[in-house]
């Protein structure tokens, strides 16, 4: 049986990657906007993490996959932050 392939959007530290890898799945694409987390992701998983998903050409840059993982943009909703939610000034709460 072939491995299920997944993409990891808004990847952060790679929690989805870690879990799905342990289940035998293969990550074929990852995207994270923060450079520090991109570096950590590459160090942890040995694959480059693309930057801002808004700048990715989804028709040619994202490979075929079976599972789409996407971390929720927690910063605009966090109790520790400004709690701007969907009205976040940096537009992190309403990508779609």
């Amino acid at each position: 049986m072939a491995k299920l392939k997944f993409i990891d959007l808004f990847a952060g530290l790679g929690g989805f990657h870690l879990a799905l890898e342990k289940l035998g799945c293969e990550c074929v694409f990852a995207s994270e906007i923060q450079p520090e987390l991109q570096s950590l992701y590459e160090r942890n998983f040995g694959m480059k993490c693309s930057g801002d998903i808004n700048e990715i050409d989804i028709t040619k840059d994202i490979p075929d996959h079976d599972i789409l993982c996407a971390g929720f943009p927690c910063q605009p909703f966090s109790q520790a932050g400004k709690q701007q939610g969907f009205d976040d000034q940096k537009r992190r709460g309403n990508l779609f």
Side-chain angles (χ1 to χ4, degrees):
M1 185 171 151
K3 285 184 175 186
L4 291 176
K5 296 178 180 181
F6 70 95
I7 62 173
D8 196 2
L9 308 181
F10 320 108
L13 297 172
F16 283 120
H17 189 128
L18 186 61
L20 286 172
E21 189 173 69
K22 285 187 178 196
L23 292 172
C25 300
E26 176 188 4
C27 186
V28 295
F29 178 84
S31 175
E32 168 57 48
I33 197 168
Q34 293 185 16
E36 306 83 25
L37 293 176
Q38 291 173 16
S39 296
L40 183 59
Y41 197 95
E42 185 173 2
R43 205 169 345 146
N44 287 342
F45 302 109
M47 70 179 293
K48 284 227 178 255
C49 196
S50 296
D52 188 346
I53 193 67
N54 292 301
E55 297 174 8
I56 305 291
D57 183 338
I58 62 172
T59 59
K60 69 176 187 176
D61 294 335
I62 298 180
D64 288 341
H65 53 281
D66 304 296
I67 303 168
L68 185 154
C69 300
F72 186 76
C74 58
Q75 296 90 342
F77 298 91
S78 172
Q79 291 290 325
K82 295 180 182 177
Q83 301 175 26
Q84 294 175 325
F86 292 113
D87 297 322
D88 182 59
Q89 293 170 353
K90 294 183 180 178
R91 301 189 63 215
R92 296 174 293 190
N94 196 10
L95 179 65
F96 305 105

